[in-house]
Amino acid sequence: MLDYSQIGARLDALEKLPSCNSNNSISKALEQAGFSRRDFMKWAGAMTAFLALPTSFVPMVARAAELADRVPVVWLHMAECTGCSESLLRSDAPTIDSLIFDYISLEYHETVMAAAGWQAEDNLNNAIEKYKGNYVLMVEGGIPTGDQERYLTVGGQAHTGYEITRKACENAMAVLAIGTCSSFGGIQAARPNPSNAKPVHKITSKPIINVPGCPPSEKNIVGNVLQLLLFKELPTLDVYNRPKWAYGLRIHDLCERRGHFDAGEFVQEFGDEGAKKGYCLYKVGCKGPYTFNNCSRERFNSHTSWPIQAGHGCIGCSEPNFWDNMQPFEEPMAGHKFGTTLGLGADNLSDKIGIGVLCLTGVAIAAHAVIASIQKNKD
Ligand code: SF4
Ligand code: F3S
């Protein structure tokens, strides 16, 4: 049950806390970047729908966004490429999401802070001490463990990533695993996993919100911050601890090429006529039917594009063990994973004799593709 008065009281209490940036505010920053109040309220309306909240929440979502600089955030980098931070920070024109992220009280973030060496270590320890129990911890990257724990050793005191993350988790109000590496191990944990990298949830008993993606969209990151500001509790999560409001549907469900899938119209190889016509990419490896994420709805770079619109299939980057399980990225899943019939790749069959193939998650999908292809060939 949503209790409006509790949320109102919570936002009132947040408002009384000092802002991280006393010389500026999120509202002023938005104005300076050319966003009108109307733009901001439109954005708040879209975020409300995005978080699957009723429209009556729009003013509260707007208020929570304006108070995002009241909650301290500690952002740790483990074994990773910094792509998740980059995707938020490097937009060519600031979006409302990236501006809000700029104004979040980032108490510690190795990519953006000026401090280095001893001073950086002090900053982290001070932030953990000062905001004990009240900060949001965001972890980017997998964590080397066991005999290989020292593969990730940081700073003059030679603490390992494992030690730093465990300590920061213990004292956090909430922990978000940002990106696939911290959510599921990602590329770091791909076979043979030489550093024995593990996701955050394997090294702490704290409840974790996983925000996977390689990288996750900025909306999924900012949406989680808003959720915590409004409710101070975990959102409804799926079996992999991903918020359902962001990861509740498959890429395939809202894909713009879905009509072609249903009609049995597939790209057979990159650059062919089908590719020029925007046909479905399943046969050149799209893993959209097996992948839960909202890219097909939200896209990237201010909603301009996303992998499938750019012409390549989804590689399943927000799923556990995607690097091992979804390979080869440019071959259809059922064909390489689940054997063949009459010596033909299972996915080839959809064009030839229409025998269903298939795999646990792919049964319905491949059967659908088979029927659609037969129909198409008849036509
Ligand atoms: Fe879109 Fe991929 Fe599904 Fe085809 S298989 S409709 S390209 S998600
Ligand atoms: Fe990843 Fe697929 Fe989205 S590859 S970015 S989940 S379209």
Side-chain angles (χ1 to χ4, degrees):
M1 186 78 175
L2 301 169
D3 187 330
Y4 293 74
S5 59
Q6 270 181 357
I7 295 169
R10 175 161 167 67
L11 294 178
D12 288 346
L14 272 176
E15 196 155 18
K16 292 196 183 99
L17 296 175
S19 149
C20 69
N21 187 344
S22 47
N23 299 324
N24 213 339
S25 67
I26 289 174
S27 326
K28 271 197 219 154
L30 291 170
E31 206 182 304
Q32 282 158 6
F35 293 107
S36 64
R37 185 73 193 164
R38 192 181 158 81
D39 294 330
F40 178 59
M41 290 313 290
K42 258 172 74 183
W43 172 88
M47 279 313 280
T48 305
F50 184 58
L51 290 166
L53 294 170
T55 41
S56 53
F57 264 72
V58 174
M60 282 182 266
V61 168
R63 198 167 162 221
E66 287 172 314
L67 295 173
D69 57 1
R70 306 297 210 275
V71 173
V73 172
V74 171
W75 184 300
L76 294 181
H77 288 275
M78 295 292 121
E80 39 85 17
C81 67
T82 313
C84 302
S85 292
E86 291 282 333
S87 86
L88 259 172
L89 301 168
R90 300 283 175 196
S91 48
D92 56 345
T95 60
I96 294 185
D97 307 89
S98 63
L99 277 171
I100 286 173
F101 185 76
D102 280 351
Y103 274 82
I104 283 173
S105 174
L106 268 175
E107 293 299 319
Y108 183 86
H109 187 299
E110 284 150 15
T111 311
V112 297
M113 68 188 184
W118 297 105
Q119 195 191 358
E121 282 183 287
D122 284 349
N123 285 359
L124 176 60
N125 291 331
N126 293 342
I128 290 176
E129 207 43 53
K130 183 168 165 197
Y131 300 109
K132 218 172 204 167
N134 291 317
Y135 61 89
V136 174
L137 174 67
M138 300 200 185
V139 184
E140 187 178 347
I143 297 137
T145 62
D147 292 347
Q148 277 76 28
E149 189 182 321
R150 298 243 154 243
Y151 276 26
L152 180 65
T153 303
V154 186
Q157 294 173 41
H159 289 307
T160 63
Y162 175 83
E163 290 163 345
I164 296 168
T165 308
R166 273 179 66 90
K167 180 176 171 193
C169 281
E170 259 166 48
N171 297 296
M173 179 248 283
V175 185
L176 300 183
I178 302 292
T180 296
C181 300
S182 55
S183 298
F184 303 129
I187 294 171
Q188 273 59 241
R191 283 191 290 268
N193 192 358
S195 66
N196 200 19
K198 291 209 179 344
V200 181
H201 70 90
K202 293 266 182 184
I203 67 151
T204 175
S205 54
K206 276 274 213 198
I208 307 289
I209 304 171
N210 285 331
V211 190
C214 195
S217 79
E218 76 260 27
K219 275 212 159 26
N220 287 357
I221 300 174
V222 171
N224 272 299
V225 173
L226 291 176
Q227 159 87 32
L228 287 168
L229 286 166
L230 286 167
F231 303 108
K232 208 186 176 185
E233 60 183 36
L234 301 187
T236 313
L237 302 172
D238 72 4
V239 286
Y240 295 121
N241 282 4
R242 299 175 291 199
K244 278 196 178 168
W245 55 259
Y247 298 89
L249 291 176
R250 296 171 310 165
I251 295 292
H252 188 65
D253 295 327
L254 297 176
C255 177
E256 65 225 21
R257 299 189 189 222
R258 176 63 186 266
H260 293 297
F261 177 93
D262 291 348
E265 294 171 337
F266 296 101
V267 174
Q268 304 291 342
E269 60 183 52
F270 290 108
D272 70 4
E273 260 319 291
K276 287 179 198 147
K277 288 178 177 160
Y279 282 2
C280 168
L281 297 160
Y282 181 73
K283 290 193 174 184
V284 285
C286 181
K287 307 298 186 295
Y290 316 94
T291 305
F292 287 80
N293 203 340
N294 52 8
C295 314
S296 40
R297 190 180 49 169
E298 296 308 323
R299 307 183 186 180
F300 288 83
N301 300 332
S302 313
H303 203 73
T304 45
S305 191
W306 65 296
I308 287 174
Q309 186 178 341
H312 196 282
C314 165
I315 60 172
C317 77
S318 55
E319 289 301 306
N321 304 324
F322 88 98
W323 198 255
D324 293 331
N325 291 350
M326 301 291 184
Q327 295 258 19
F329 292 137
E330 290 173 355
E331 284 178 25
M333 184 80 141
H336 78 84
K337 277 232 186 287
F338 300 96
T340 62
T341 304
L342 306 179
L344 297 166
D347 295 287
N348 280 338
L349 286 176
S350 62
D351 276 344
K352 299 203 167 99
I353 53 176
I355 292 174
V357 198
L358 307 223
C359 64
L360 289 175
T361 47
V363 171
I365 293 184
H368 191 160
V370 167
I371 292 159
S373 285
I374 292 169
Q375 189 58 50
K376 167 101 181 135
N377 287 345
K378 271 193 197 155
D379 294 346

